[in-house]
Amino acid sequence: MDKQPWIILSAGDNVAVATSAIAEGSTVAGVEARQKIEPGHKVAIADIPLGSAVVKYGQAIGRTTAEVKAGDHVHSHNLHFENDRLAVTANSAPEEATAEDKARTFMGYRRADGRAATRNYIGIIASVNCSTTVCRAIADEANRSILPHYDGIDGFVPIVHDQGCGMSSTGDGMNVLHRTLAGYTRHVNFGGVLMIGLGCEVNQLTLYGQSGAGASKRHFNIQDAGGSRRAVERAMGVLREIAADVGKEKRVPISIGEIIIGLQCGGSDGFSGITANPALGVAADLLAAAGGTAILSETSEIYGAEHLLRSRAVSDEVARKLDEKIAWWEDYVALHGASLDNNPSPGNKRGGLTTILEKSLGAVAKGGRSPLTAVYGYAERVTAPGLVFMDTPGYDPVSATGQVAGGANIIAFTTGRGSCFGCRPAPSLKLSSNSALYASMEEDMDIDCGTIATGDATISGKGREIFDLIVDTASGKKTKSEIFGYGDNEFVPWHLGATL
């Protein structure tokens, strides 16, 4: 493969992005560079008249403030973003899936209710911060004394947090916490669940229903058990009963249309939007074409590009829901004296980013180019196939927690700086945006997407590599974060409402 120091991110783009320095006079996509182009910066590959749209990622990122000739450097001196959202200028088709892609299967667990799991864990879930220490002690003891007897169980996972009391029993805070915990109690990757409360908290166990003896979902309060030590002892008896059932589960072939993947990015760099994110977008398109589900989130980080998602909505109702989420965030941050409309920082601009839309498009790229089929609130149960959007903050652990509560059975996480993350019970894949990061943190990164920038891989080719790894991971291949042991401390429900 011939290496070239530039990349065109989508059909219909009128700029290329330098992946390494381009000398004046060099040829870029058939045109001669009229100035030196620094890495991460844009060069016009066609004449762009004054006032015309500059197109990157197949979308308008701003309008020219001067006539731009093919080969010109395109940046703040000749490009600006209008206050109003620009009309969509191009909507490239999603990555084309073959009949073989759509017919693929993975080796997963078929639950009694018909859902498909990628892992077979047993969850120890705290209803309140007061029971977190006991939950950890229960999980530790179960992993030591019970797990060795069951090869078919992936482990006992403590799901603990700092909420559940000192809060109102009604309102947004309790509603979000309850929805999140309920999502984890029913998560398909938990073959069984034991929920532990203290007994006097606001978030009572009775809110989560009752389970009969011998069922795979059980709960009790520490106060009723006679204290912390006795609670651990009681839990061992309960968990042995649950493990006897869960340990019998076997992997069977299941259509990849039952994979639900949460899309995340964090610790981004100047290459995230041109390597890892669009490559993940290709994988998301392939999964969606096969009937699977890809969850795009982080509302505060798609701001400025939301109208481009809106244009792909399958109905007016889906578009309206997305508009409502954006409006809520505008009010929410204004209430706290902040703003979502952050222009790229000086560092962003030095790296080649010119407008807020360009910056947001880098985050949106990981959702691919498929139609937007549904919009969900935080931690709401996801049922629609295809590309969907879930309203979450941009803070990665909170966002991923909402996606898993909604049903994601795998997480794919892009990073340019080296974010370390796991999200049990859902396995988490880490995708590095640059090869230097992959080389320095190879034991944490599952795929090196930096080879796109060096010309050793294409976005489409790397996307298919990610797609293959998603299928392998769903079938039981351990991710780097699973091997290290991440996932017990990354459960972070969105904290809304007053602390009382």
Side-chain angles (χ1 to χ4, degrees):
M1 180 185 297
D2 292 334
K3 296 184 180 181
Q4 54 197 24
W6 51 269
I7 187 171
I8 298 174
L9 296 171
S10 182
D13 286 4
N14 55 16
V15 293
V17 180
T19 54
S20 59
I22 297 173
E24 181 179 349
S26 298
T27 300
V28 178
V31 304
E32 184 177 304
R34 291 159 56 90
Q35 300 94 28
K36 180 180 179 181
I37 310 297
E38 297 292 344
H41 284 247
K42 299 172 290 297
V43 55
I45 56 175
D47 292 343
I48 310 174
L50 170 65
S52 297
V54 173
V55 182
K56 180 182 175 184
Y57 302 105
Q59 307 292 353
I61 62 169
R63 296 194 186 279
T64 54
T65 57
E67 183 179 2
V68 174
K69 294 292 186 182
D72 277 346
H73 179 212
V74 179
H75 198 38
S76 303
H77 63 287
N78 55 13
L79 168 65
H80 79 115
F81 175 57
E82 300 169 344
N83 289 331
D84 294 330
R85 301 296 192 262
L86 289 168
V88 177
T89 61
N91 257 326
S92 300
E95 184 77 12
E96 186 173 352
T98 66
E100 290 77 12
D101 292 331
K102 297 176 183 179
R104 292 184 69 171
T105 61
F106 72 97
M107 296 299 293
Y109 297 97
R110 178 66 72 188
R111 300 304 189 195
D113 62 4
R115 293 182 299 154
T118 63
R119 294 293 183 269
N120 194 34
Y121 286 111
I122 294 175
I124 317 299
I125 300 179
S127 68
V128 64
N129 63 293
C130 308
S131 61
T132 58
T133 298
V134 167
C135 284
R136 290 191 186 279
I138 291 170
D140 287 346
E141 179 60 24
N143 282 319
R144 185 190 66 81
S145 63
I146 300 177
L147 185 61
H149 301 288
Y150 295 95
D151 293 336
I153 298 176
D154 289 308
F156 294 82
V157 180
I159 300 296
V160 299
H161 54 96
D162 65 353
Q163 299 184 49
C165 209
M167 59 193 301
S168 172
S169 61
T170 59
D172 290 342
M174 179 55 77
N175 289 340
V176 166
L177 177 62
H178 179 263
R179 193 162 66 233
T180 304
L181 289 174
Y184 271 70
T185 63
R186 66 168 178 263
H187 196 279
V188 69
N189 283 1
F190 281 140
V193 165
L194 174 60
M195 196 170 196
I196 303 294
L198 178 61
C200 55
E201 63 271 16
V202 172
N203 188 36
Q204 288 285 299
L205 291 179
T206 52
L207 295 172
Y208 299 88
Q210 295 286 343
S211 298
S216 63
K217 295 183 179 180
R218 308 277 290 278
H219 62 234
F220 65 81
N221 287 315
I222 296 170
Q223 291 167 349
D224 296 334
S228 301
R229 181 181 59 77
R230 290 180 179 176
V232 175
E233 293 172 351
R234 178 174 172 179
M236 291 306 104
V238 174
L239 290 176
R240 287 188 179 94
E241 294 177 3
I242 293 175
D245 290 332
V246 175
K248 298 174 184 176
E249 297 283 344
K250 303 294 183 184
R251 289 185 180 270
V252 298
I254 299 174
S255 166
I256 61 169
E258 298 190 56
I259 293 175
I260 304 174
I261 189 163
L263 311 173
Q264 287 292 319
C265 61
S268 299
D269 70 348
F271 285 101
S272 295
I274 61 176
T275 59
N277 287 3
L280 178 55
V282 167
D285 283 341
L286 293 172
L287 183 63
T293 302
I295 309 173
L296 182 65
S297 299
E298 301 172 294
T299 315
S300 56
E301 295 189 2
I302 62 113
Y303 186 75
E306 76 283 349
H307 65 300
L308 304 176
L309 286 173
R310 189 184 192 281
S311 72
R312 289 152 52 191
V314 297
S315 68
D316 291 341
E317 176 66 12
V318 171
R320 181 187 61 78
K321 286 184 177 180
L322 184 62
D323 289 341
E324 288 176 350
K325 300 304 182 187
I326 294 295
W328 183 91
W329 272 91
E330 289 175 329
D331 292 341
Y332 178 60
V333 297
L335 182 66
H336 296 278
S339 172
L340 286 168
D341 192 14
N342 296 314
N343 290 321
S345 68
N348 292 148
K349 290 186 176 181
R350 284 193 296 272
L353 296 178
T354 312
T355 67
I356 180 63
L357 179 49
E358 184 179 9
K359 187 176 181 180
S360 296
L361 279 168
V364 170
K366 63 184 178 289
R369 301 187 294 270
S370 299
L372 183 67
T373 61
V375 174
Y376 294 94
Y378 184 82
E380 284 186 346
R381 188 171 184 175
V382 173
T383 57
L387 175 65
V388 305
F389 187 82
M390 177 180 284
D391 179 35
T392 75
Y395 182 41
D396 315 319
V398 176
S399 182
T401 294
Q403 291 177 332
V404 174
N409 49 25
I410 293 182
I411 296 291
F413 193 124
T414 68
T415 183
R417 302 297 297 172
S419 297
C420 297
F421 187 77
C423 204
R424 295 204 295 177
S428 179
L429 290 166
K430 298 306 296 294
L431 316 175
S432 69
S433 69
N434 64 83
S435 297
L437 168 62
Y438 185 83
S440 66
M441 297 183 66
E442 187 173 351
E443 292 184 346
D444 291 280
M445 300 294 125
D446 295 281
I447 286 186
D448 176 17
C449 296
T451 53
I452 297 171
T454 61
D456 294 306
T458 64
I459 291 174
S460 179
K462 187 60 65 171
R464 284 191 166 274
E465 182 183 340
I466 295 170
F467 179 60
D468 289 340
L469 185 55
I470 289 170
V471 177
D472 290 344
T473 300
S475 298
K477 180 177 180 178
K478 287 188 179 295
T479 67
K480 299 288 184 67
S481 64
E482 286 181 294
I483 292 170
F484 187 81
Y486 278 104
D488 289 353
N489 301 302
E490 287 78 18
F491 176 75
V492 187
W494 193 0
H495 197 165
L496 290 170
T499 299
L500 303 178

